[in-house]
Amino acid sequence: MKPQPFRRYRHKDSLEPEKGRKILRSFLDAEKSRNQRKKENKMSTKKTSSFRTQALSVLTVRHGREVAEALRASAIRKLLHGEYKYIQAAVMRLESGEVTDERVLHPLETVREKIGQLLPAEVIGSKAEFIHAGYDSEGDIWAVATVPDYSGRGTELQAIVSKIERFLEVRQKLIDEALGERLYSSLLR
């Protein structure tokens, strides 16, 4: 079988210049609207990201103030003797909203370690608690766990530790979000 020569076919509309212009115009309009949607999506993503960062900032400051209030209200001064002035400076930073300052981390870690050493002495027994374990097709899954039962002072110390841990978790999310936003904006340039 002999190969057929390539033939160029014309579309029937291509013979009419006015129809060709209309087709080209409609294609260009569609392209323009597609580009406009892309630009709007970029702007809405930036607005959403900016809003999320602002919300995380407010949440981090709130948690920082809660930690500062808990440390001021507790009897932590007696537990930390010579280190209290160092911790008091971190508390003042948290109260003023300086939550991303690296000088806040070490004092909070010191408090958490010290309380971790003291908590075993505050255990007065154990109790069973329901803990949310997950979900399945029928709904929530709950488990029973045996947890330590603390004295009044131990409960106060445990509350301080959980506030510190929550603050550190939200603070890290804020830092990650800000760094991700900075990276995203540098990639768009």
Side-chain angles (χ1 to χ4, degrees), residues 31-185:
E31 188 69 25
K32 185 177 179 181
S33 66
R34 190 177 311 123
N35 288 339
Q36 184 67 27
R37 280 194 307 266
K38 283 182 183 179
K39 186 185 273 186
E40 287 171 1
N41 284 342
K42 282 183 185 178
M43 289 173 60
S44 68
T45 303
K46 190 171 183 176
K47 286 179 184 176
T48 304
S49 180
S50 176
F51 175 75
R52 180 178 164 87
T53 305
Q54 289 174 358
L56 273 172
S57 299
V58 170
L59 190 62
T60 306
V61 169
R62 183 180 308 143
H63 282 294
R65 287 203 177 125
E66 286 177 4
V67 168
E69 289 170 7
L71 289 174
R72 282 215 189 271
S74 71
I76 208 84
R77 176 180 293 179
K78 296 174 187 172
L79 301 174
L80 297 169
H81 306 296
E83 299 172 353
Y84 186 72
K85 288 186 180 186
Y86 179 57
I87 291 166
Q88 189 175 10
V91 167
M92 289 171 49
R93 284 187 186 93
L94 289 175
E95 286 175 337
S96 67
E98 298 174 32
V99 293
T100 57
D101 192 341
E102 293 293 322
R103 295 175 288 181
V104 169
L105 292 179
H106 187 68
L108 292 180
E109 289 295 327
T110 303
V111 168
R112 194 162 63 167
E113 286 175 17
K114 188 69 171 180
I115 291 174
Q117 293 169 0
L118 297 172
L119 273 178
E122 299 296 325
V123 175
I124 56 174
S126 63
K127 60 183 177 181
E129 278 189 4
F130 286 101
I131 298 174
H132 190 261
Y135 302 96
D136 65 0
S137 61
E138 297 175 6
D140 293 343
I141 299 173
W142 292 88
V144 177
T146 305
V147 295
D149 190 16
Y150 294 108
S151 65
R153 180 178 162 202
T155 304
E156 179 186 353
L157 294 175
Q158 181 62 33
I160 291 171
V161 168
S162 62
K163 285 180 182 181
I164 290 172
E165 288 173 350
R166 181 67 184 140
F167 164 72
L168 293 174
E169 179 184 325
V170 173
R171 179 186 181 275
Q172 190 59 49
K173 283 182 183 178
L174 171 65
I175 290 170
D176 292 345
E177 183 77 22
L179 290 175
E181 203 172 282
R182 186 183 309 156
L183 175 66
Y184 179 73
S185 65

